[in-house]
Each structure stands twice: as structure tokens, then as C-alpha cells.
Amino acid sequence: MPAQPPYRRIVAEIRGRILTGELRPGERMPSIRQIAQRWGVAIATATRVMAALRDEGLVETRVGAGTVVSGQPSRASAPKRTLNRGHLLRTAIAIADVEGLDAVSMRRLAAELGVGPMSLYRHVATKDELVIQMVDEIFGEPELPDPGPDGWRAKLELIARLQWGLSRRHLWLARAIPFTRPMLVPNMMAHTEWTLRALDGLGLPVETTIREALTLHGLVITAALTLAQEVEAEQETGVTLDRWWLAQRARADELLRSGRFARLAAIPRETVSDLDGLFEYSLACHLDGFAARVEAHSRPRRP
């Protein structure tokens, strides 16, 4: 008889603790990282454990509380829940923030909200529409100042940093935003309109202003994707970036001592891993280049 997969043994143990009352309804579950450490398994295995417990209805994700043991009220005593769009979107965003966008499904969302799956379709027709509305909800979080700081550069710095902050809080966001097929939703459109308004009065062609808005947004998205990839790598392997560098030290030292890479050897390691610093550097260089273009455009042309 083949050995039972490790994740099933862990699921069975946690299931037993829940059914015997050792873990009570509403009690916070160990995190995926804590499961990995306690049972000595990989992050991916611990993630599978949590998914299996959720599929069995033993645990659920609650906004502001994380993953907890599910309550088990009888159908007769369970309160009837009123579903509204805001609660639906906040719950979907909370799931995506903790477990990634792939964990969001209509069935999973209905279970978290304690409603029938069909009731969700009065608010969203498909998962694609749900994701679009989630993105729009997030872009509505920050209040865009009116008129904002003086000068086009200060305004572009402000909008880029606002979007960088959103991407840091919601790591799945960058992957959910198509670049060439823009989402026609109010809050995202408000960000673009605000960016275009920041360029008013510069006398630039319309094509230049929209390309600048797209390029600035692309700069944020590129940095955000790098950040998300690093966080996902850490979650999947359980190895932080610092620990990864320590593991590579022997090989890195061997290469850098060879004398072939003298300039690389002089770079502090923390410079490479500072993604906030990389974002700020990219933003500054981009705006320096755009400032030169603005200045060139404003010069009178020679006859």
C-alpha cells in the first residue's frame, strides 16, 4: 500500500483537533509558515494542507482575522446574511491578499460569505468581472488630491508612489492589470485622468501625454511584479532573500575573487535587494528623461 502523502497526514491531524474541540470555531489557525515549520514540510505542502482543510469546510478566511476554524451553526439557527457589493469585494480582496488571486473563486467566495454561489451572480457575472471590480475597488482606496502639489513632476511622483503603495499592499494587483487592454472602470480611469491633468499646460501633443501616463504606470507595474515574484519565492521555498544570499555566498565569493568581475564585486549586496530603492531610482531617472523632453519641446524652433 503506498505511503500516505505528507499533506494528508497533517490534514488528518488538524481535522481531528477541530472535531474534538481542541481547536474551536473562530480560533485562529496556524499560518502556512507555522505549519511548514511545525511539521517540517515545504511551504507548498503547507499551502496544500490549508487548501484541503478549506475545501472540507473546516477553516475559512475572515476579513481582519486571517484563517480561522469555521463555525458550524445549524441551518435553522444560522442568521440570514445580506450580501452587498462592498462586502463581496472586500472579502475577495482579503482572500487574494493572503493566498493569491488563484485562490479566489465564486465557490470559495460564496463559502466565505455564507451564501449560495448563485447569489453572487447578481453582483458579478464572471470571475473576470469580479477581478476587474476588485482592482477598481483598490484604486479607489487613496484619495487623489485636488489639485495636488505644485508642478508636473511633483504630481507624477505622487501618483506613482500612490500606485506603488497599492501594489505593495496587494501583491497580486500588478498581475491583474492588463496593459494594452485597459480596464474601463471609474477609479482606474480617475488615476489616468489625474495623471493627464498633471501634464496640462506643458503644450505637449496628446500622443505624448498619454504615452507618458502609460510609461509611468508601466514603471510601477514592472517594479511591483519583481516584488511579487520575490515574495512568492520566499513563500514557496521558505527561504528569505537574505538566507538565499547566504546560501550563494561560497559560489559568489569564488566568482567575485577571480578578478573577472571587479565592478560587480564592489557593489553592496543590499543595493541589489532594495526594491524600494530600485523603484525610486527608476522613477527619478524616468522623470529626468521626461523633463529633458519637456524642455526640448518648449524651445523655440529655428527657422
Side-chain angles (χ1 to χ4, degrees):
M1 182 176 179
Q4 190 179 38
Y7 89 93
R8 290 191 178 277
R9 293 198 299 270
I10 302 169
V11 168
E13 182 176 338
I14 296 176
R15 183 195 300 119
R17 293 175 63 192
I18 292 173
L19 296 179
T20 59
E22 183 181 348
L23 291 172
R24 299 184 177 183
E27 187 173 341
R28 191 163 186 170
M29 286 289 296
S31 68
I32 288 174
R33 185 170 301 285
Q34 288 170 332
I35 290 174
Q37 292 173 343
R38 177 170 177 177
W39 277 276
V41 295
I43 292 290
T45 300
T47 301
R48 194 171 183 184
V49 168
M50 197 67 78
L53 292 169
R54 190 174 292 106
D55 288 345
E56 292 184 21
L58 296 172
V59 302
E60 61 188 47
T61 301
R62 293 183 184 171
V63 177
T67 303
V68 300
V69 178
S70 298
Q72 299 176 341
S74 67
R75 290 186 178 271
S77 63
K80 186 176 180 179
R81 301 187 184 184
T82 301
L83 181 64
N84 61 65
R85 177 182 175 277
H87 190 199
L88 183 154
L89 294 179
R90 287 192 296 272
T91 302
I93 289 169
I95 294 171
D97 287 348
V98 174
E99 302 171 48
L101 195 58
D102 289 342
V104 180
S105 66
M106 304 298 268
R107 177 182 175 185
R108 167 72 185 284
L109 190 54
E112 297 292 345
L113 292 166
V115 299
M118 293 306 296
S119 65
L120 300 182
Y121 291 97
R122 291 197 294 269
H123 300 273
V124 289
T126 63
K127 180 179 175 179
D128 288 343
E129 182 182 331
L130 171 63
V131 172
I132 290 172
Q133 292 193 29
M134 289 164 63
V135 171
D136 197 46
E137 182 82 0
I138 287 171
F139 271 80
E141 290 178 6
E143 183 176 353
L144 299 176
D146 186 15
D150 293 336
W152 66 263
R153 180 163 186 148
K155 287 182 172 68
L156 295 190
E157 288 175 342
L158 184 147
I159 195 72
R161 288 173 182 146
L162 277 178
Q163 294 178 5
W164 174 240
L166 293 178
S167 299
R168 287 188 63 86
R169 291 194 295 276
H170 308 285
L171 293 172
W172 54 272
L173 182 62
R175 290 183 175 173
I177 301 174
F179 194 73
T180 55
R181 301 185 181 189
M183 293 179 170
L184 300 179
V185 284
N187 290 322
M188 281 197 69
M189 292 172 72
H191 275 242
T192 304
E193 180 72 14
W194 196 95
T195 304
L196 293 172
R197 192 165 60 245
L199 302 175
D200 283 350
L202 296 179
L204 298 171
V206 172
E207 293 83 358
T208 300
T209 59
I210 189 59
R211 284 171 179 162
E212 169 55 22
L214 291 173
T215 301
L216 188 69
H217 180 61
L219 184 151
V220 177
I221 293 300
T222 299
L225 287 171
T226 301
L227 174 64
Q229 288 168 356
E230 173 51 38
V231 173
E232 288 176 4
E234 181 176 333
Q235 290 175 343
E236 290 176 3
T237 65
V239 178
T240 66
L241 188 57
D242 286 341
R243 286 178 57 195
W244 183 88
W245 275 111
L246 286 173
Q248 306 299 316
R249 176 175 290 177
R251 176 59 175 160
D253 288 348
E254 178 185 349
L255 288 170
L256 296 176
R257 281 198 301 262
S258 69
R260 295 175 58 198
F261 311 107
R263 292 167 185 80
L264 287 175
I267 298 173
R269 190 184 67 206
E270 59 271 17
T271 302
V272 179
S273 57
D274 180 10
L275 295 181
D276 283 307
L278 181 60
F279 166 75
E280 289 293 339
Y281 178 83
S282 300
L283 178 61
C285 287
H286 167 71
L287 294 179
D288 286 347
F290 185 66
R293 181 174 289 270
V294 171
E295 182 181 356
H297 183 80
S298 66
R299 292 193 199 108
R301 294 187 179 181
R302 295 180 180 178

